[in-house]
Amino acid sequence: TQSIDTMREAVSALTAYGVTVVPTLAKVLSNSMEDPSIRRAVSQVLGRLGTNESVALITKHLGDSDELLRARLYKALAKAVKGHRLVLGDLSSVQQALERELKAAYTALSQAEQLGLGAGPGPDTPRTGVEAAKALLASALAEKVTQIERRIFLLLAVLYPDADMEQIYAGIHDAAATDAPRRRANAVELLDNLLERELKKRFLPLLEELPRPERLK
């Protein structure tokens, strides 16, 4: 708890410096040997600053290998674009990031299909052996796709800042809601109306409750 509080205080303090702190943050973010938690905190500072300089630094690192950092950077960029009403003149880095995430999602689905994996662990799944291993791997790949979906929604929030992507995401994934099927259908319909044709063709199958071969097709 103390470390979390300290990190929050550090983020607030660095944000108070304004744009003058961006060169220092750039050095930290560019150092892959730096503590991952510190690099992720830097993304929060950049999102809060919401300046052209901080946004330029964020977009430079959208292809980082650290998945958690990428998610933080996507979120920071969405925050900067929406909260500070910045207009990104060049969306190519965001679109390239979206392309990479889509490819990663379908790669995970394809791997699961090629390995003949079923559902994750259940009450009848053996505790040991090949079937147990396959169930755990199926669960891991499914979770990977879920995390990628989340990151894609963060990127969509950058590309479509006037749409409430957070609300759309919640509508799709809030299974606990009493009207979950209706909320999900409404959210998917919003995406269907919002996204451009090629993106819609590639992204919506990830969200649809279809057998894996049909989603891959």
Side-chain angles (χ1 to χ4, degrees), residues 8-209:
R8 286 173 179 166
E9 291 173 5
V11 168
S12 297
L14 288 170
T15 304
Y17 278 98
V19 70
T20 59
V21 80
V22 172
T24 302
L25 299 180
K27 292 179 182 178
V28 175
L29 205 53
S30 299
N31 183 7
S32 59
M33 302 301 291
E34 182 61 83
D35 184 327
S37 64
I38 293 177
R39 296 179 77 221
R40 294 164 194 164
V42 163
S43 68
Q44 289 182 268
V45 177
L46 294 172
R48 288 192 187 185
L49 289 174
T51 63
N52 290 326
E53 294 84 356
S54 66
V55 165
L57 181 54
I58 291 172
T59 55
K60 183 180 177 181
H61 291 275
L62 294 182
D64 198 276
S65 59
D66 183 340
E67 292 184 356
L68 289 177
L69 176 59
R70 289 208 308 274
R72 295 282 184 89
L73 289 170
Y74 298 168
K75 188 173 183 177
L77 187 57
K79 180 181 178 68
V81 170
K82 187 168 186 176
H84 298 272
R85 307 306 298 175
L86 291 176
V87 178
L88 295 183
D90 183 7
L91 294 171
S92 60
S93 59
V94 180
Q95 291 166 338
Q96 288 167 10
L98 182 59
E99 182 70 23
R100 286 191 295 268
E101 297 292 358
L102 283 167
K103 183 177 180 180
Y106 281 107
T107 296
L109 286 176
S110 178
Q111 289 170 339
E113 185 65 16
Q114 290 174 20
L115 292 170
L117 302 180
D124 298 326
T125 304
R127 298 294 184 96
T128 59
V130 174
E131 292 305 314
K134 290 176 69 173
L136 287 173
L137 182 55
S139 179
L141 288 172
E143 177 60 23
K144 184 179 182 67
V145 173
T146 298
Q147 293 303 319
I148 294 172
E149 284 179 19
R150 178 58 181 152
R151 294 199 295 272
I152 289 175
F153 269 101
L154 292 172
L155 289 170
L156 291 178
V158 177
L159 295 173
Y160 301 90
D162 293 327
D164 193 344
M165 284 296 166
E166 189 71 26
Q167 191 67 26
I168 294 174
Y169 177 83
I172 290 173
H173 288 279
D174 189 5
T178 54
D179 57 346
R182 182 182 62 80
R183 290 188 64 193
R184 181 181 177 85
N186 289 343
V188 171
E189 184 177 357
L190 282 172
L191 285 176
D192 189 45
N193 293 330
L194 182 66
L195 303 183
E196 58 92 13
R197 184 179 177 183
E198 284 304 310
L199 177 55
K200 181 166 53 180
K201 279 172 57 179
R202 301 174 67 202
F203 181 47
L204 291 187
L206 287 177
L207 307 176
E208 293 172 354
E209 296 176 325

Side-chain angles (χ1 to χ4, degrees), residues 1-13 44 48:
T1 303
Q2 185 177 357
S3 61
I4 293 175
D5 291 340
T6 302
M7 188 68 77
R8 286 173 179 166
E9 291 173 5
V11 168
S12 297
Q44 289 182 268
R48 288 192 187 185

